[in-house]
Amino acid sequence: MDPALLLEALSALSGLSVQRGAGPSQLGPQDFVNIVALRQFYKQEGFAELEYPSLGSLSLREEEDPEADMYSSPPALEAPQAGHGGSGSGGSGGSVVRVNPEEFFDRRFNYDFTHVQDGERTFLRGNERYIRPCGWRRAALSVTKKYDDGSDVWLSTGATSWPVSYQGLHMDGSLGVILTRKEKQADPGFLEEAAQSLVAPRTRGRGIYSTPDVHLAEKYCKTFKSRSDGRTYKVLLQNRINPSKRQDCQRDRVWVVYVPQDHSDLQTRALVQESVRPYGLLLKLA
């Protein structure tokens, strides 16, 4: 896949103006899943902006035209605030994030599922069914040996690996309320919220949402028109989710990482980082 197209996809997902750089990338794959997840979470909580280290204030407003040119339209990233160490000014007055495709992506693990049909075949990751992204192309992210524990067991195919989940730009509490959870993981805050959801159907679970079903994720994905080839694409993130952090929702095929009410911004960001790890950027013609 054309690196320019992949950077456009990252821009569409994150709301940043992601441009090619020759040196070290200013953001890594984990930063992008953090930003996508936190954008949806804080928007659901009623906030207008997201503060992210080294970037400053990130607007949570959606653009009016979902297929608008992401570079000529006003960027979602406002000018960095004092103390945030922003990444420089772009041509339209907003900040630009530089990413080096050679280090950000890992072409060894790219895979073209465009014409793949699994039929009745069943795949497992972490003893959970893995619905492969048939019909999509995957650009693999460079994530091996990138985490503090130094282990890539989370990324393997065995019983101890983390299950696969998919994340779109519009996946939030509207997908369904939290309802069930493993007993050993229960805490008073969660149980209170779950109980409230039983009597108040509108109550949304407070957390980060994703799904193991790529077909469901596609309904909530971001769509953008590429400047590289003029075609319109759908884009998703393919992640692994920590099974000890994942909760079930009332709606089938929806998972959530529950964020306690008393969590600070720093604690919420740390929770996302220890719960959801990206490994693939998925693209499909719309």
Side-chain angles (χ1 to χ4, degrees), residues 149-211:
D149 56 13
S151 171
D152 289 330
V153 171
W154 65 277
L155 196 53
S156 64
T157 61
T160 56
S161 64
W162 290 8
V164 174
S165 74
Y166 299 95
Q167 195 163 35
L169 188 62
H170 305 290
M171 302 189 73
D172 57 24
S174 62
L175 287 173
V177 298
I178 304 172
L179 191 61
T180 61
R181 191 182 191 188
K182 295 178 182 178
E183 190 66 29
K184 65 180 181 179
Q185 297 173 338
D187 64 65
F190 170 82
L191 294 176
E192 181 181 347
E193 186 168 353
Q196 184 180 2
S197 74
L198 291 174
V199 296
R202 287 189 175 185
T203 301
R204 308 306 184 192
R206 189 175 191 271
I208 308 302
Y209 286 79
S210 63
T211 175

Side-chain angles (χ1 to χ4, degrees), residues 62 132 134 138 182 188 194 212 217 264 278 281:
E62 289 290 336
R132 300 202 300 173
C134 297
R138 180 177 69 205
K182 295 178 182 178
S264 66
L281 181 68

Side-chain angles (χ1 to χ4, degrees), residues 26-69:
Q26 291 177 296
L27 295 178
Q30 184 66 50
D31 289 302
F32 280 92
V33 79
N34 290 353
I35 290 169
V36 171
L38 292 171
R39 278 176 62 93
Q40 297 312 301
F41 172 70
Y42 282 111
K43 185 178 178 182
Q44 176 188 344
E45 290 291 291
F47 290 88
E49 293 182 336
L50 162 68
E51 294 291 329
Y52 198 79
S54 80
L55 295 180
S57 298
L58 198 63
S59 172
L60 302 183
R61 295 185 301 251
E62 289 290 336
E63 67 270 24
E64 294 182 6
D65 180 1
E67 294 189 2
D69 184 322

Side-chain angles (χ1 to χ4, degrees), residues 4 10 13-14 30 38 46 77 104 114 124 132 157 162 168 177 203-204 208 234 242 274:
L10 290 174
L13 270 175
S14 65
Q30 184 66 50
L38 292 171
L77 188 62
F104 189 90
T114 304
L124 296 176
R132 300 202 300 173
T157 61
W162 290 8
V177 298
T203 301
R204 308 306 184 192
I208 308 302
K234 298 177 179 180
N242 189 331
E274 67 185 22

